[in-house]
Amino acid sequence: MIGVVFLGPPGAGKGTQAQILEQKYGARQISTGDILRRHRQAGTALGKEAQAYMDRGDLVPDDVIIKMFEAELGDGTKGFILDGFPRTVPQAQALDALLARLHLPLTAVLLFKTERPELIKRLTARWTNPRTGRVYNEISDPPKVRGICDDDGGELVQRPDDRPETVTKRLDVYEAQTAPLIDYYKRSGLLVPIDAMQPVEDVRKQIVAALGSSVAS
Ligand code: AP5
């Protein structure tokens, strides 16, 4: 079983890799961003509360996210790949406490290292199938027909927070509120840097190599 955190800025490729790897490891991808978007689509109270924060590129408050994450993890015994959580030091402390209570290991924290101009390029070229969550990229991984999903023939959409001005804000928020987690996890000895500037398949290989030595049986 693996218990892994994917840490990195918006557009680093966390979701792309989590989707590829969840089958290989039989672990669940838990993306707090995807869960919030599902709540928004369903019009729940949580979705309505989160909407303004997300559209501005701000983080949703810790207490809301931590409660939502605990419910989503359940007993966690299948293993997990955390994509977008934790994102602040209080969230990381809450995760530590929760895993200790459930007797679950955190086996590694993979730091997706990238450069800002590449992130902006990736995010503003991202298209998603809102029905299945499949992610494309106009430049690096385009669909066969522009704006149409190869799998179900339905329309692809751009996320509202991928507008250039919101992207810049999200990257600033990452530096201010999430980057401090790099030191937090360095101190625990779990941090493994990944060169996320490489093509998708090369990044996948680096992750598999990194997890090879840290997978708990
Ligand atoms: P969330 O949905 O988590 O967004 P994010 O962290 O900003 O991450 P992204 O989904 O934008 O990027 P990614 O790293 O997954 O990249 P992807 O694989 O898609 O969060 C959205 C919002 O929800 C937040 O702003 C906040 O408001 C709220 N929120 C969520 N979690 C929260 C929390 N814990 N606390 C508080 N608030 C929270 O790739 C991007 C593009 O690049 C794609 O087009 C892809 O095809 C392409 N690509 C991927 N890899 C490569 C590669 N190696 N080479 C070239 N292109 C690539």
Side-chain angles (χ1 to χ4, degrees):
M1 173 194 135
I2 59 164
V4 183
V5 169
F6 282 1
L7 180 63
K14 306 179 298 294
T16 300
Q17 295 296 332
Q19 282 184 5
I20 295 173
L21 290 167
E22 70 175 342
Q23 235 180 347
K24 174 177 174 62
Y25 291 106
R28 272 183 64 214
Q29 172 196 16
I30 302 181
S31 159
T32 40
D34 285 347
I35 299 166
L36 290 168
R37 278 184 288 278
R38 282 201 294 273
H39 275 278
R40 284 181 63 164
Q41 221 167 3
T44 68
L46 171 57
K48 285 179 186 145
E49 184 180 355
Q51 179 155 1
Y53 294 100
M54 295 173 81
D55 288 350
R56 281 199 307 269
D58 279 325
L59 296 185
V60 176
D62 285 335
D63 55 337
V64 175
I65 290 290
I66 290 166
K67 218 163 90 195
M68 184 185 89
F69 175 77
E70 286 198 19
E72 192 69 24
L73 181 68
D75 67 9
T77 48
K78 273 190 73 181
F80 49 88
I81 301 174
L82 306 187
D83 157 19
F85 180 91
R87 249 171 153 110
T88 62
V89 171
Q91 289 182 21
Q93 289 165 336
L95 176 64
D96 285 347
L98 179 62
L99 295 182
R101 207 162 70 227
L102 296 172
H103 304 290
L104 294 172
L106 187 59
T107 45
V109 176
L110 304 187
L111 174 62
F112 283 54
K113 298 188 76 169
T114 41
E115 286 161 21
R116 195 172 170 114
E118 171 71 11
L119 297 171
I120 293 171
K121 207 168 84 185
R122 285 186 192 177
L123 289 171
T124 49
R126 170 166 61 185
W127 289 83
T128 308
N129 179 332
R131 297 162 298 283
T132 63
R134 179 165 174 188
V135 173
Y136 292 87
N137 191 280
E138 220 158 67
I139 302 162
S140 59
D141 180 24
K144 291 190 184 92
V145 180
R146 194 167 192 269
I148 299 294
C149 181
D150 296 349
D151 299 333
D152 67 6
E155 269 190 36
L156 300 173
V157 297
Q158 277 197 296
R159 275 172 43 178
D161 59 349
D162 281 346
R163 287 189 305 267
E165 62 280 12
T166 319
V167 164
T168 306
K169 172 76 182 292
R170 285 161 62 206
L171 293 173
D172 292 343
V173 167
Y174 172 82
E175 286 307 326
Q177 298 188 54
T178 307
L181 289 182
I182 297 172
D183 277 340
Y184 182 93
Y185 284 119
K186 246 187 214 161
R187 284 196 294 276
S188 65
L190 289 171
L191 196 75
V192 184
I194 299 291
D195 179 0
M197 292 289 282
Q198 301 304 315
V200 170
E201 176 56 15
D202 293 0
V203 176
R204 188 195 67 79
K205 284 184 187 152
Q206 290 179 63
I207 295 174
V208 171
L211 293 183
S213 57
S214 61
V215 173
S217 53

